[in-house]
Amino acid sequence: MTPITIALADDHRVVTTSLTAYLQSFADLNVVGVAPSGEALLKSIGAWKPQVLLLDLLMPGGIDGVETARRMQKVAPDVRIIALTASMDEARMMAVLRAGAVGYVRKDADPEVLLAAIRAVAAGRTFIDPAVATRQESGTPKGVDLTSRETDVLRQLAKGLTNRDIAKALGISDETVKTHVTSVLGKLHVDNRGQAIVYALKAGFAE
Amino acid sequence: MNTRFLPDSQTLLRLGMGATGGVALLFLPAAARNGARLNTAGHHNIGLWVSLTPWVLLGVATILGTAAEIEDRVFRRRMVLGGAAAMAFVAMGYTLQATLPPDSGVFRAIRSALFVGAFWLSPMRWVIAFRGVGRWADKPLEKWLGPAVSDSETALRAREREIREAAGLAERTRLAQDLHDSIKQEIFAIHTSAATIQERLTSDPEGARQAIEQVRRSSRDAMTEIEAMLDRLDTSPLENTGLVSALRKQCEALGLRTGAEVTCVIGQLPASKLLPPGTHEALFRIAQEALSNIGKHARATHVRLTLELAERFLLLTVTDDGQGFDKREPSAEARLGMGLKNMLARSRSVGGRFELVTSPGHGATIRVDVPVLQPSIYFDGVPRWMVWAIYGVGGVPMVVAGYLMVTNGGRIDWTAAVFVLLYVLFMIYSFRRGMGDLFKP
């Protein structure tokens, strides 16, 4: 099978160097490009054409990860973005998910978590570092009235599954899942699956 | 944003000295004439006090005019004592003049020496003399005057404390950011490289070996950065050697953090005693703030820090070739405003001047100069005995001129004029030799 192509954007050379060495250890992964800033990344992304982008959120002196993710939607909307960050900042996390990231991994997670995230997003799933839930103690959100079916869907969603996976797991049609997901997103007042997963993690919907 | 708030305190000092000295010089012939008439006529009342006034004014103006601008405790105390001594000297001259018989040759010699010598030994000269023997003078001064804390000094200390506290908070935020920005990244690299080693241990020993190299490199770099951070947390006062090594560590840490090539050039530093108290600490914090800003905003590839003597100043510069910024742009001001204010306040607290030069695309440079308080610096490399010889030689023409003026009944005849001219020429010569400070009125 062809390896998953990956690009890295991080201003810390030590991070990109060690990460490249690590990812290149696996036959199914291939690092195709490394950029030290958001601007440099946007310039080269067309040439690299990666499937997955590992994006640092804080890059000093220019556009940050959130803005980079936003601009990526115009330049290369098909690239699956994983935000990779050393700081746990909920506002930033929500912002980058809103900007279109489908993954979120902290730098203090085990490298295997990152590995899992890359493989998951490449397969079309969404991956949110489970640790973000334990970091937040905001309690059960109020005023959200989900039907039991919608709750089931959210539970599956929280695993990062695609609509097709959810349909298979719950034994319903893709179309029905799609309807439920739309309804869940609407009730949670979020734009996309990533944000819904963060919600599910914090509200205890995920195991 | 105007970052040049403070005029050079040394310039102010010289202006004040020049003005007061000039006024005194205008009064000199009158004083001499009065003195002469006084003695021949036997009157000693109004004329005496009229001629005394400019000298007293000179002393007072010198003290007030300069003490207000010099924020250094030690220097100010010497200044006050120097002025007071000059006034006492003048008063003694008038007392002698009023009491000794006018026709005595000894009297005439003393009188003329006092008249003109008082000018020659005006407060500035005393100040310099006191600065020269500053280390010797400090202890008795402490005994006579106590630790001399004035209101303005209390205010100054309060302001310093305020700055320290605000800076402490800002510093904590920065430390947290830098921890995140440097050490956390190194540890990430160590963690990831360890995982790489595990993966490649058997399948790719060469790759594993490289990953081990990375672990070692990152561990070493993390240690350097931790050292640099510990320096920033350290509150004990820095001396010269401490400052030099702390600055080097900060430079190295910035290089590790950003990958920029950071050069650190530190020249010969003046002895700590010759710098305003707190100079080392202030310079370290300013440099650290500047380097931290470069790390966060500049995207520089080359950074250069220099700390060296430049004439009578200890000069710190930090230059980068990064993206620079527009000082008037509100976002830049918001981002850097607090840091710049800190740097400015710290410079001022040690009597220094702060300057920031930057524009978009042209990098940025900060300069701080702190005055060095010691004639041995003014007389760089000139032996002490020569300094005193210059004093003496410079004084003789004025004393002789004064003697001639006084004995001539107050009229300046051609001999006196020649002597005064000699003195002026000598002053010009001294200025050109860069020793002007000693000979300014």
Side-chain angles (χ1 to χ4, degrees):
Chain A
M1 78 184 211
T2 51
I4 301 167
T5 51
I6 303 164
L8 311 178
D10 195 314
D11 57 307
H12 299 98
R13 216 180 20 194
V14 61
V15 167
T16 50
T17 313
S18 58
L19 205 48
T20 306
Y22 177 63
L23 297 176
Q24 292 298 111
S25 311
F26 300 92
D28 64 329
L29 306 179
N30 184 23
V31 177
V32 293
V34 171
S37 69
E39 288 89 341
L41 174 82
L42 291 167
K43 230 174 261 170
S44 311
I45 197 78
W48 294 340
K49 292 195 176 43
Q51 286 166 270
V52 177
L53 165 66
L54 293 183
L55 178 63
D56 185 20
L57 280 190
L58 291 173
M59 289 180 284
I63 60 171
D64 65 355
V66 176
E67 183 57 29
T68 307
R70 210 170 280 144
R71 294 193 194 175
M72 280 288 292
Q73 300 312 309
K74 291 191 198 115
V75 187
D78 296 336
V79 178
R80 309 280 286 165
I81 302 175
I82 298 174
L84 180 64
T85 174
S87 70
M88 185 53 229
D89 173 350
E90 198 188 349
R92 264 219 176 70
M93 174 173 73
M94 295 313 276
V96 76
L97 291 176
R98 191 172 305 123
V102 293
Y104 187 92
V105 178
R106 295 161 311 126
K107 279 184 179 166
D108 31 10
D110 281 329
E112 288 77 10
V113 173
L114 188 59
L115 219 52
I118 293 171
R119 289 172 178 150
V121 300
R125 296 199 290 277
T126 308
F127 190 99
I128 305 292
D129 190 335
V132 302
T134 59
R135 296 289 295 264
Q136 309 290 325
E137 291 297 333
S138 54
T140 348
K142 53 204 180 306
V144 179
D145 182 20
L146 299 177
T147 67
S148 66
R149 208 38 159 174
E150 283 166 354
T151 311
D152 289 342
V153 169
L154 181 57
R155 255 184 240 288
Q156 299 300 322
L157 198 67
K159 295 177 188 164
L161 297 183
T162 60
N163 282 357
R164 183 165 305 163
D165 295 336
I166 296 173
K168 227 176 273 171
L170 297 180
I172 52 180
S173 78
D174 288 9
E175 276 309 306
T176 318
V177 171
K178 210 172 169 185
T179 315
H180 284 312
V181 168
T182 312
S183 159
V184 167
L185 296 184
K187 284 183 179 176
L188 298 181
H189 303 290
V190 295
D191 303 330
N192 59 38
R193 306 166 78 93
Q195 291 169 285
I197 293 172
V198 172
Y199 171 88
L201 289 170
K202 286 204 291 187
F205 282 99
E207 51 264 27
Chain B
M1 189 193 309
N2 178 19
T3 49
R4 295 192 67 130
F5 291 108
L6 189 75
D8 181 355
S9 59
Q10 297 277 332
T11 307
L12 278 173
L13 180 93
R14 277 190 222 113
L15 284 176
M17 286 298 181
T20 50
V23 170
L25 197 57
L26 286 177
F27 277 92
L28 185 63
R33 205 162 30 243
N34 274 327
R37 196 180 59 218
L38 200 71
N39 281 283
T40 46
H43 301 135
H44 31 71
N45 35 39
I46 297 172
L48 176 80
W49 292 109
V50 166
S51 52
L52 180 65
T53 309
W55 300 110
V56 176
L57 281 179
L58 175 64
V60 172
T62 307
I63 293 165
L64 294 183
T66 55
E69 293 303 332
I70 305 296
E71 293 186 342
D72 168 34
R73 231 171 17 256
V74 179
F75 187 35
R76 183 155 47 175
R77 217 162 55 230
R78 287 178 199 161
M79 200 77 163
V80 170
L81 198 85
M87 282 195 290
F89 188 75
V90 171
M92 193 175 73
Y94 279 96
T95 314
L96 274 179
Q97 181 178 316
T99 49
L100 277 177
D103 295 334
S104 129
V106 178
F107 163 67
R108 286 210 301 233
I110 292 175
R111 190 182 52 183
S112 56
L114 287 179
F115 263 124
V116 187
F119 174 72
W120 168 240
L121 293 167
S122 68
M124 187 56 188
R125 313 248 145 18
W126 278 92
V127 167
I128 290 163
F130 270 96
R131 281 208 261 163
V133 292
R135 251 172 285 178
W136 167 82
D138 264 348
K139 282 216 166 130
L141 279 184
E142 199 82 50
K143 252 181 227 163
W144 297 337
L145 300 174
V149 178
S150 67
D151 283 352
S152 66
E153 240 171 73
T154 318
L156 179 70
R157 292 226 181 108
R159 206 182 72 198
E160 270 173 12
R161 200 174 326 114
E162 248 168 60
I163 295 167
R164 232 178 272 279
E165 276 164 17
L169 269 178
E171 177 64 9
R172 263 166 60 181
T173 316
R174 259 202 312 273
L175 270 174
Q177 278 170 2
D178 288 352
L179 265 174
H180 159 269
D181 213 36
S182 57
I183 293 173
K184 215 166 174 182
Q185 313 295 341
E186 298 291 356
I187 292 176
F188 174 87
I190 295 169
H191 195 181
T192 311
S193 300
T196 308
I197 298 164
Q198 271 183 337
E199 274 320 308
R200 300 192 181 210
L201 203 51
T202 50
S203 62
D204 174 16
E206 174 55 24
R209 200 188 56 74
Q210 281 173 12
I212 291 169
E213 282 297 317
Q214 180 65 55
V215 169
R216 294 193 57 169
R217 206 162 39 238
S218 286
S219 311
R220 204 176 47 234
D221 292 355
M223 276 190 276
T224 307
E225 292 185 20
I226 286 172
E227 287 282 312
M229 276 186 206
L230 286 176
D231 275 349
R232 284 160 57 184
L233 288 170
D234 194 357
T235 49
S236 58
L238 284 166
E239 286 291 318
N240 275 349
T241 45
L243 178 67
V244 171
S245 74
L247 285 178
R248 287 197 196 285
K249 264 186 258 172
Q250 295 300 325
C251 287
E252 199 183 339
L254 179 72
L256 293 174
R257 209 177 302 149
T258 62
E261 191 184 309
V262 186
T263 326
C264 187
V265 181
I266 297 178
Q268 191 69 39
L269 302 187
S272 303
K273 281 177 187 164
L274 310 183
L275 292 165
T279 299
H280 295 87
E281 168 83 8
L283 288 178
F284 174 67
R285 297 292 168 192
I286 292 167
Q288 200 271 313
E289 174 86 44
L291 294 174
S292 170
N293 285 339
I294 291 171
K296 281 212 260 317
H297 309 293
R299 289 191 170 181
T301 53
H302 293 86
V303 180
R304 186 181 167 86
L305 178 148
T306 63
L307 179 66
E308 58 202 356
L309 272 176
E311 293 179 43
R312 296 173 313 280
F313 296 95
L314 182 56
L315 177 68
L316 169 76
T317 63
V318 182
T319 308
D320 70 75
D321 63 350
Q323 52 190 4
F325 59 95
D326 186 349
K327 284 192 276 183
R328 291 156 307 182
E329 188 197 324
S331 73
E333 202 175 328
R335 228 171 21 177
L336 295 170
M338 194 57 209
L340 288 180
K341 273 191 202 110
N342 277 340
M343 290 198 264
L344 187 67
R346 283 195 187 278
S347 312
R348 293 184 68 164
S349 74
V350 292
R353 213 167 27 158
F354 174 79
E355 193 181 5
L356 165 70
V357 182
T358 179
S359 62
H362 293 96
T365 298
I366 65 125
R367 282 168 50 100
V368 179
D369 50 19
V370 177
V372 178
L373 313 166
Q374 181 76 354
S376 64
I377 299 300
Y378 294 31
F379 283 85
D380 204 10
V382 178
R384 183 59 53 91
W385 64 265
M386 202 183 281
V387 174
W388 290 110
I390 289 166
Y391 264 105
V393 173
V396 168
M398 281 307 274
V399 173
V400 175
Y403 178 80
L404 291 173
M405 278 195 277
V406 172
T407 51
N408 200 32
R411 284 191 305 281
I412 300 179
D413 65 12
W414 66 270
T415 13
V418 166
F419 277 116
V420 173
L421 187 68
L422 267 179
Y423 178 66
V424 171
L425 286 176
F426 185 74
M427 259 171 57
I428 293 170
Y429 173 75
S430 322
F431 273 104
R432 293 181 61 115
R433 288 293 303 269
M435 301 172 187
D437 298 82
L438 281 181
F439 301 97
K440 286 187 184 174

